[in-house]
Amino acid sequence: MTWGSSGDVGAPVAMRTSFNALSAMHTPVFNGRDVSAFAFRGVAKTRKAAAKRFKVTSGGKVLSKQAGKQHLNTKMSRKNKMRLGDKRVIEKADISNVQGCLPHVKLAK
């Protein structure tokens, strides 16, 4: 049984011509530059879960809620529970992680 040319739609996957061989002939050019590398690059999107968890101040500091106040609070003092209700400043070592989740926000480095 013959399938005809290797580019047939009904041919098995191994016999089809690859997309890269076809796209090499049609390289997009814009203002004299090859833009094929930029053609499929995605748009930087904000991670909505991170946007709800972090607050960025006008100075670029990142604040988040402190952990440890969800349950097992009966043994904590009132002062300790009040302290856990405050926001905390994110450490400089974690700023790069937050910047990756919030790409459109200017953060202090």
Side-chain angles (χ1 to χ4, degrees):
M1 179 179 213
T2 60
W3 293 98
S5 66
S6 60
D8 281 347
V9 176
V13 176
M15 294 178 66
R16 293 183 195 160
T17 56
S18 67
F19 178 76
N20 293 336
L22 294 175
S23 64
M25 293 184 289
H26 306 290
T27 304
V29 177
F30 180 72
N31 288 344
R33 293 188 307 173
D34 175 23
V35 293
S36 60
F38 302 107
F40 298 107
R41 185 164 57 178
V43 176
K45 288 183 162 184
T46 298
R47 293 183 185 232
K48 294 300 183 180
K52 295 168 189 173
R53 285 174 172 82
F54 298 115
K55 177 185 184 241
V56 181
T57 63
S58 61
K61 292 180 183 176
V62 183
L63 303 176
S64 72
K65 185 179 173 183
Q66 292 219 28
K69 200 180 172 183
Q70 291 294 319
H71 63 111
L72 302 176
N73 297 331
T74 54
K75 57 188 163 191
M76 290 185 194
S77 66
R78 180 184 183 95
K79 182 179 177 181
N80 195 13
K81 286 186 272 192
M82 293 285 286
R83 183 187 58 81
L84 288 174
D86 294 337
K87 301 282 185 187
R88 69 180 183 97
V89 179
I90 299 293
E91 299 295 326
K92 288 188 178 185
D94 296 325
I95 290 292
S96 62
N97 293 333
V98 175
Q99 182 69 65
C101 293
L102 306 173
H104 301 292
V105 177
K106 301 291 184 209
L107 302 180
K109 299 272 178 179

